[in-house]
Amino acid sequence: MAVSVNQTLVTEFILQGFSEHPQYWLLLFICFLTLYSVAVIGNVLIILAITCNPGLHTPMYFFLFNLANMDIICTSSIVPKALKGLVSEKNPISYAGCMAQLYFLTWSASSELLLLTVMAYDRYAAICHPLHYGSMMSKAVCSVLAAGVWALCAVNTAIHTGLMTRLTFCGPNVITHFFCEVPPLLLLSCSSTYVNSVMIVLADAFYGILNFLMTIVSYGFIISSILKMRTSEGKKKAFSTCSSHLIVVCMYYTAVFYAYISPVSSYNPEKSKLAGVLYTMLSPTLNPLIYTLRNKEVKAALRKLFPFLKN
């Protein structure tokens, strides 16, 4: 430790990870490495399938392409460092490295929440307003929505990370998590975290509650429209176009609510680590599986891209 120019006494942190359960290190290492490998490979395959197949150049797959990129950023900013920690006695991370990890994780995770809401609106437009879908979700509109998601979340994350760098860390430097996360970092601060806490509440209200409500409202209209359809075949087809997205939404919000919709003062390390595994490893792994296994168009595109999959 040393005093730096910005009055930050701690120049590196120690990620606690799962060191309190040393008997499980090999099992955790194998599980995390498997999840990470499947997540990266699965999302890269989705990116390639959508990029190389003109038939998938539609709004739904355009947003899925963005989701796959977000998943790769999210899991890649966390898992390699977590794997290193499992095979090391200590898992130090520099102050700058911690802030960088915090930025990329928060950016990708918040972008995913916002994008899921945009994807819900896309399904609402497709099912509830099929005749106006082309104008409601034109290429220009989709581009603006996607760029808006990335940009808004980048600015929001920059504000949170900037506020974090203003804090003074002069005491214990052990982060009770397997990655740099806002709640455990605030608990280590020697200076006032009031502004940070207020911003966290505002972010939770926007990303967690408002986005969730907008998604619920969208699906309320979608379900209502599906129930009004006269043929069972039409109902089945309409539901199949949004079922994968609905599964992903439920899975992701469950992890987010479990981890974050609570005050920093009630932070629970074990609970937060479990939620962290869910949204940084399990969710990026399951997303491509859900969208490919339940989607004939994506499977067809992958078979076209990799002919040996036909057998």
Side-chain angles (χ1 to χ4, degrees):
M1 296 184 189
V3 179
S4 62
V5 179
N6 66 355
Q7 301 300 311
T8 300
L9 300 179
V10 173
T11 56
E12 75 170 17
F13 295 99
I14 304 296
L15 295 172
Q16 183 189 67
F18 301 90
S19 58
E20 70 275 28
H21 303 295
Q23 67 274 27
Y24 299 125
W25 79 267
L26 182 58
L27 176 63
L28 290 172
F29 184 86
I30 294 172
C31 287
F32 291 174
L33 181 60
T34 301
L35 288 173
Y36 180 60
S37 301
V38 174
V40 172
I41 293 171
N43 283 293
V44 167
L45 286 176
I46 281 184
I47 291 171
L48 289 175
I50 294 173
T51 303
C52 301
N53 193 318
L56 298 182
H57 293 179
T58 62
M60 183 174 74
Y61 294 110
F62 172 70
F63 294 129
L64 181 56
F65 172 89
N66 282 270
L67 182 67
N69 279 281
M70 290 171 186
D71 278 339
I72 291 174
I73 295 173
C74 179
T75 194
S76 295
S77 65
I78 301 301
V79 183
K81 187 65 178 172
L83 290 173
K84 181 183 176 183
L86 288 170
V87 296
S88 308
E89 287 187 15
K90 275 190 175 183
N91 192 19
I93 184 170
S94 67
Y95 178 84
C98 185
M99 294 301 110
Q101 187 182 64
L102 177 66
Y103 181 87
F104 284 104
L105 171 66
T106 307
W107 182 33
S108 56
S110 59
S111 294
E112 188 155 343
L113 283 172
L114 205 55
L115 185 67
L116 289 174
T117 303
V118 171
M119 293 172 77
Y121 173 74
D122 170 65
R123 292 300 83 206
Y124 159 77
I127 293 172
C128 300
H129 302 282
L131 298 178
H132 302 285
Y133 181 68
S135 58
M136 290 176 69
M137 300 303 294
S138 65
K139 188 174 182 179
V141 171
C142 291
S143 298
V144 169
L145 287 172
V149 167
W150 286 101
L152 176 63
C153 294
V155 171
N156 172 70
T157 303
I159 292 172
H160 282 280
T161 308
L163 288 172
M164 188 65 69
T165 61
R166 294 177 67 253
L167 299 180
T168 301
F169 298 94
C170 55
N173 68 333
V174 177
I175 297 174
T176 55
H177 212 303
F178 61 92
F179 57 84
C180 290
E181 192 181 33
V182 172
L185 279 170
L186 292 184
L187 294 175
L188 294 178
S189 174
C190 301
S191 52
S192 173
T193 60
Y194 176 76
V195 176
N196 301 70
S197 298
V198 170
M199 291 301 294
I200 288 173
V201 171
L202 293 175
D204 285 347
F206 176 70
Y207 287 105
I209 299 174
L210 182 60
N211 270 290
F212 181 70
L213 290 176
M214 287 192 292
T215 302
I216 291 298
V217 169
S218 295
Y219 271 100
F221 284 115
I222 289 171
I223 293 172
S224 176
S225 294
I226 292 176
L227 293 176
K228 291 177 182 177
M229 292 179 180
R230 296 180 180 180
T231 64
S232 57
E233 186 64 28
K235 291 179 181 179
K236 184 178 179 181
K237 184 178 179 181
F239 183 74
S240 67
T241 63
C242 58
S243 57
S244 296
H245 177 256
L246 190 56
I247 293 171
V248 170
V249 166
C250 293
M251 181 176 64
Y252 202 79
Y253 271 102
T254 298
V256 169
F257 283 144
Y258 184 71
Y260 293 113
I261 307 303
S262 59
V264 173
S265 57
S266 64
Y267 173 76
N268 183 306
E270 295 302 312
K271 172 183 171 182
S272 190
K273 288 176 189 178
L274 175 59
V277 170
L278 291 177
Y279 72 84
T280 65
M281 299 185 205
L282 193 61
S283 180
T285 301
L286 293 179
N287 284 355
L289 294 177
I290 291 170
Y291 280 109
T292 53
L293 293 177
R294 299 180 61 87
N295 192 304
K296 293 179 181 179
E297 292 176 317
V298 174
K299 286 193 284 188
L302 287 173
R303 290 193 189 100
K304 187 177 179 181
L305 197 60
F306 302 101
F308 61 85
L309 293 176
K310 294 179 181 179
N311 298 325

